[in-house]
Each structure stands twice: as structure tokens, then as C-alpha cells.
């Protein structure tokens, strides 16, 4: 497709369940970012990949959060033992490397609700 | 620490009126600045960006923004608002030393009244 796609678009989980959120970046985009957007807030950085290498995971809120991009394309954000505070929209973005062409293109997001 | 402040949570303007959304940033190096728009249920769309050069940048949909280093500001403007501009607007600073990860403000919700 032409843009960044994310699946599922909506996910409802019971507290304690594990979830996996998928991101398909734009073809050829080397950089991939995950952000978390809580209700009424701006997006907050979670983690960053360049190809398959996870170069920055400083924004992951706890060790229950794990992200991977094994072949340098599709990425999965996994949340183990979900808690209510994990409820948010999870946004994925991809970009080309280098300045000034590294505009981040965002996907529609996955809205996670933890009951 | 790097941060972005959008002082106005909500703004309401009449259709056809001018618009200015405020953004202030805190960043030690030369900032790379962005404005994104988010409509309900949609992803973020880039309106414009500033990397260097002319401090007045033009974007899509008739928006422009002016970078003022002395005021640490990057305010977004539009001379005449359309009803379709109603959305949430986010200002962000890109941290180049961290692969250009973005630090966002909390957003400003724009309402347009006819």
C-alpha cells in the first residue's frame, strides 16, 4: 500500500492478557517509530528502529513492553500482562533516513482498551 | 530536557477568520520543528516543517508557520479558516541526535463555527 498500515485498528483486552500490535511501514523506509497517545495527550515516543536494529527503546514504559522488527520491515509491539494504564492509541511511523527528507509518515493507529 | 508547550487546549474561531496556534519549545540545539494535524480516527498528517533557512515556512492547506529563535516559538497561522480545518493540531520538535524521534506538545483542538 501507499501508506503506513496498522492492525488491528481496535483491540479490547482483559487486564493481564498479552497483546500484539502490528505495523507495516512504507516500503523502503528504513526508520520506524512507535508512539503512545493517551486520551487528550500528544503522542509520546516509545521506541525507534533503523532497519532491524532497535536503536532507542528509552520510551518503553516498563519491561512488559517489547518491540521487534526482525527483517527490517514489519514491526510488532507486544505488551505483556496488560494493565488499565496501557489503554491508549499506539501509533507507528516510518521515514527515510537523512535530513531533511526524514518526514515521519504515521499510520492510523491501534486503539487499545484494557478492561 | 526537551519539551514542547502548546498553551491553548481549545480554540474556537469563526469560519473565514484568521487563526494562530501557539507553540513554544525547549531544546538546546538547533531545532527541527513540525506541525501535524489529526482528525478524529485518523493518523497524523504533516502540515509543514522547519529545518533551516527561511524562518517563514509554507505548508499544505494554506497553513504557514514562523520560527522565532529569540522567542523559542513556532506559531502556526492561517489567514482564513475553513470548516474542514476543525481538528487537533500538534507541534513537535525532532531530536536529530536520536534518529529524529519527535517530542510532541499536548495539542490544540480547533473548533470552527459557522
Amino acid at each position: 500500500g501507499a501508506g503506513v498500515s496498522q492492525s488491528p485498528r481496535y483491540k479490547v483486552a482483559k487486564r493481564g492478557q498479552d497483546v500484539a500490535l502490528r505495523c507495516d511501514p512504507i516500503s523502503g523506509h528504513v526508520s520506524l517509530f512507535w508512539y503512545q497517545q493517551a486520551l487528550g495527550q500528544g503522542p509520546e515516543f516509545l521506541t525507534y528502529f533503523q532497519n532491524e536494529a532497535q536503536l532507542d527503546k528509552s520510551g518503553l514504559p516498563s519491561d512488559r513492553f517489547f518491540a521487534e522488527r526482525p527483517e527490517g520491515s514489519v514491526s510488532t509491539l507486544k505488551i505483556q500482562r496488560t494493565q488499565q494504564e496501557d489503554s491508549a492509541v499506539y501509533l507507528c511511523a516510518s521515514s527515510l533516513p537523512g535530513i531533511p527528507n526524514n518526514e515521519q509518515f504515521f499510520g492510523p493507529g491501534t486503539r487499545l482498551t484494557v478492561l | 530536557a526537551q519539551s514542547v508547550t502548546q498553551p491553548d487546549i481549545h480554540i474556537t474561531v469563526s469560519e473565514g477568520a484568521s487563526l494562530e496556534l501557539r507553540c513554544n519549545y525547549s531544546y538546546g540545539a538547533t531545532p527541527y520543528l513540525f506541525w501535524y494535524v489529526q482528525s478524529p480516527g485518523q493518523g497524523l498528517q504533516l502540515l509543514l516543517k522547519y529545518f533551516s533557512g527561511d524562518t517563514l515556512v509554507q505548508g499544505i492547506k494554506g497553513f504557514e508557520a514562523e520560527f522565532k529563535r529569540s522567542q523559542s516559538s513556532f506559531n502556526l497561522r492561517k489567514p482564513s479558516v475553513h470548516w474542514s480545518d476543525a481538528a487537533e493540531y500538534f507541534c513537535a520538535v525532532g531530536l536529530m541526535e536520536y534518529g529524529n524521534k519527535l517530542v510532541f506538545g499536548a495539542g490544540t483542538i480547533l473548533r470552527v463555527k459557522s
Side-chain angles (χ1 to χ4, degrees), chain A residues 33 35 37 56 100 103-104, chain B residues 38 41 46 51 99-102:
Chain A
F33 302 80
Y35 294 86
Q37 186 176 18
D56 186 348
E103 170 189 346
Q104 291 186 30
Chain B
Q38 186 177 42
L46 181 69
F51 286 132
N100 193 32
K101 70 180 182 183
L102 298 173

Side-chain angles (χ1 to χ4, degrees), chain B residues 17-95:
Chain B
S18 63
L19 170 71
E20 182 170 33
L21 302 182
R22 295 182 291 165
C23 173
N24 293 94
Y25 66 89
S26 173
Y27 185 48
T30 301
Y32 298 96
L33 298 162
F34 305 82
W35 275 99
Y36 283 86
V37 61
Q38 186 177 42
S39 299
Q42 304 296 313
L44 292 160
Q45 182 183 20
L46 181 69
L47 287 175
L48 47 76
K49 59 189 177 186
Y50 170 78
F51 286 132
S52 64
D54 193 347
T55 56
L56 183 63
V57 294
Q58 303 296 320
I60 62 171
K61 305 184 179 185
F63 286 92
E64 66 178 26
E66 186 171 13
F67 168 59
K68 293 185 177 180
R69 184 185 299 275
S70 62
Q71 299 178 18
S72 298
S73 70
F74 189 56
N75 293 348
L76 182 71
R77 301 194 294 247
K78 186 170 185 178
S80 177
V81 169
H82 188 263
W83 64 266
S84 61
D85 293 325
E88 189 161 18
Y89 292 79
F90 292 95
C91 181
V93 61
L95 308 185

Side-chain angles (χ1 to χ4, degrees), chain A residues 44-56:
Chain A
E44 292 192 356
F45 170 80
L46 293 177
T47 188
Y48 159 60
F49 290 86
Q50 186 166 316
N51 295 305
E52 69 278 3
Q54 189 175 21
L55 299 185
D56 186 348

